Amino acid sequence: QDLDSGEFSLRKYPYAMHGMMWAQRGGLGMNAHKYMRNVLPETEFFLGQALLFGSDAREYAKQNLAGCWMKRKLESARWLLVAGLAAMKASIHVPSFLRWGERLRRTTELMAEARGLLKQAASNKKGWGWAVNNGEIYVAQGAWELLSVALRLKLQRAPVNSVGDPGDEKVVERETMVTSDDLRIALEQAQSSWGKAMRRTSSDRNGADFHPWQDLMDSISEVASQTKQALADPVGKSNRLNELVSRCEELSDAMAKRFHFPGRASSRQFLEAHGVVPWISETTSSAKTARAHKTEEL
């Protein structure tokens, strides 16, 4: 509502306060963004218009534009986190009817994509994101470490159809087999990543520190330890591997739901912001008039 009233004032008094109203409207957008309003494109636009005016409006706008860039980095980190989680989930659900070699190829590519996205998300703003305040990117990276090994172990146990797909045997022969030692290393790497996340806790109403993802991290860690011990038992290994993959997927789904992007108020939100600015239509009208005069002269 405050944003709408600000735009109404700009429509009515576009040149008032030597352009400071454009800068202030941008400042309102910065505050709205803190409350999960998806308004950065319009905020940057209004601040940009303030740059057309005097020094006071320009300075105010420049300060907020620098903040917009930081917010963009936070937004992109959140988006990369969600995209990485989606790639992890897709790797879990590679169709089982595919040939062994094709399943391996797809799983490997999807997990590599997820790893790259999460790595970029972590480096964007040192593990922070738009409302990503508890090291969730590091939590996801830890789950990736375990999931990458668990999926390979599951695939190794899948039977190869040597009659129907003779080429798959050659693929299996070329592949390095994953062992319990690989799972041990993955668990150590996951716990290291989760350790970074645990340094970013929240506080409850009584002031006690807690981490919102600790229960899931502990659950995955426990199942991974049990899986490592059960690798010698074919039946137990299968059950534990499925449970480990299931726990990783549970974490991925919970994070994807928590960090989905807030929707835009309108699909025309950015265009409507342009409609507030009188000099855009004035310039367009002038250009059309000039072209019309030129046509008449010809």
Side-chain angles (χ1 to χ4, degrees), residues 146-168:
L146 291 168
L147 185 62
S148 62
V149 176
L151 290 177
R152 284 294 301 271
L153 284 168
K154 282 191 67 175
L155 195 55
Q156 283 176 195
R157 298 190 75 254
V160 176
N161 184 0
S162 57
V163 178
D165 302 315
D168 278 351

Side-chain angles (χ1 to χ4, degrees), residues 77-226:
R78 178 178 175 137
W79 186 90
L80 289 163
L81 168 62
V82 174
L85 293 170
M88 284 173 60
K89 186 175 180 66
S91 69
I92 296 171
H93 294 284
V94 170
S96 58
F97 61 79
L98 295 171
R99 293 176 55 176
W100 195 94
E102 179 62 16
R103 277 181 285 160
L104 174 64
R105 184 187 69 80
R106 293 195 188 188
T107 301
T108 302
E109 288 183 356
L110 285 166
M111 288 302 287
E113 178 185 353
R115 182 180 192 178
L117 290 166
L118 293 175
K119 182 179 180 181
Q120 188 177 350
S123 64
N124 247 22
K125 204 76 171 60
K126 297 181 179 179
W128 302 98
W130 189 23
V132 181
N133 300 323
N134 297 107
E136 284 87 352
I137 299 172
Y138 297 135
V139 175
Q141 285 182 311
W144 182 95
E145 295 288 350
L146 291 168
L147 185 62
S148 62
V149 176
L151 290 177
R152 284 294 301 271
L153 284 168
K154 282 191 67 175
L155 195 55
Q156 283 176 195
R157 298 190 75 254
V160 176
N161 184 0
S162 57
V163 178
D165 302 315
D168 278 351
E169 285 191 340
K170 295 180 180 179
V171 175
V172 174
E173 290 172 1
R174 289 199 305 267
E175 288 300 313
T176 303
M177 294 294 102
V178 179
T179 67
S180 60
D181 197 47
D182 293 301
L183 186 58
R184 176 187 60 78
I185 294 171
L187 180 56
E188 290 174 356
Q189 292 172 334
Q191 290 171 337
S192 174
S193 185
W194 292 339
K196 290 189 286 185
M198 288 299 294
R199 291 195 285 270
R200 299 181 181 182
T201 57
S202 296
S203 299
D204 61 19
R205 293 180 179 179
N206 299 320
D209 291 339
F210 74 98
H211 199 283
W213 302 98
Q214 183 168 1
D215 289 345
L216 273 173
M217 286 188 288
D218 290 345
S219 173
I220 295 172
S221 183
E222 181 181 358
V223 174
S225 297
Q226 294 169 351

Side-chain angles (χ1 to χ4, degrees), residues 18-60:
H18 304 288
M20 184 59 76
M21 287 179 64
W22 295 97
Q24 290 175 345
R25 171 58 183 82
L28 281 175
M30 294 284 284
N31 288 330
H33 188 268
K34 295 177 184 177
Y35 296 97
M36 305 311 295
R37 293 280 298 276
N38 195 341
V39 294
L40 266 191
E42 297 76 45
T43 297
E44 292 165 341
F45 174 73
F46 287 121
L47 290 171
Q49 301 310 303
L51 297 176
L52 301 172
F53 291 89
S55 59
D56 290 343
R58 284 202 307 272
E59 286 306 312
Y60 187 96

